[in-house]
Amino acid sequence: MNALPKFRLFAATATLGLLAACGGEAPADDTATAGAEEPAVIDERQANFEGIGDAFKLIRSELETGNPDVVAIENAATDMNERSQKIAGFFPEGTSVDDGFDTEALATIWEDKTGFESAAQDLTDASAEMITIAASGDTAAVGEQVKAVGGTCKGCHDKFRLDDD
């Protein structure tokens, strides 16, 4: 076989490969289909929420030590605050439990998008206040703010998260 037919075969194969790679579009109705692969965003949002939970646990455990490290609390609150600002971006339509994915996200997130975004903002605001309080060194006030932060989590979970217990 001379070089030109080999090149044409290579070019045709490469073109077909590129076309196949670009063809992985989501269904037009953004719903899961049988055997559909879970979107990576679900893992990303779950990791983000685990990070928020870990930061919250660190703050609570510091308060239980009797001599809390306010710098560690401030750092954890900062981490929580940064993660909370990403929440709304982790919920594209079609990624709820009702869409067949392994998630606790309820369809009410999209049915009440404004309420969901407001709930996420409540966590952002409460964690920002936690940063300020921790920086002041007032551990009693940090303890009170823990209740406020926890309340924002509960409020969101009660409305937008599947209670699988």
Side-chain angles (χ1 to χ4, degrees):
M1 190 180 249
N2 72 34
L4 187 57
K6 286 182 183 178
F7 174 76
R8 285 185 183 153
L9 179 62
F10 171 78
T13 304
T15 301
L16 289 174
L18 287 171
L19 289 173
C22 294
E25 294 181 22
D29 65 359
D30 286 321
T31 59
T33 56
E37 189 173 318
E38 187 169 284
V41 72
I42 292 175
D43 289 336
E44 293 169 9
R45 76 180 176 219
Q46 289 172 348
N48 192 59
F49 281 119
E50 285 175 20
I52 290 170
D54 290 345
F56 191 65
K57 288 175 192 170
L58 186 144
I59 293 168
R60 291 181 62 203
S61 68
E62 278 298 324
L63 291 173
E64 293 171 0
T65 66
N67 187 22
D69 179 348
V70 292
V71 172
I73 292 171
E74 186 178 356
N75 289 340
T78 299
D79 181 49
M80 185 184 306
N81 181 265
E82 290 170 355
R83 290 175 181 277
S84 71
Q85 294 175 46
K86 299 175 186 177
I87 291 173
F90 284 125
F91 288 88
E93 287 195 45
T95 60
S96 78
V97 67
D98 293 346
D99 295 306
F101 295 114
D102 184 20
T103 178
E104 295 173 345
L106 294 175
T108 54
I109 291 170
W110 298 275
E111 294 164 3
D112 182 11
K113 192 163 184 74
T114 301
F116 178 71
E117 289 172 352
S118 177
Q121 186 62 48
D122 289 346
L123 175 58
T124 299
D125 295 344
S127 59
E129 183 65 19
M130 177 75 76
I131 296 166
T132 301
I133 294 170
S136 78
D138 185 347
T139 57
V142 168
E144 289 302 311
Q145 190 62 19
V146 163
K147 294 175 190 174
V149 171
T152 67
C153 295
K154 182 179 180 343
C156 190
H157 290 187
D158 287 350
K159 186 170 183 179
F160 301 107
R161 182 179 176 201
L162 177 69
D163 183 7
D164 59 356
D165 293 335

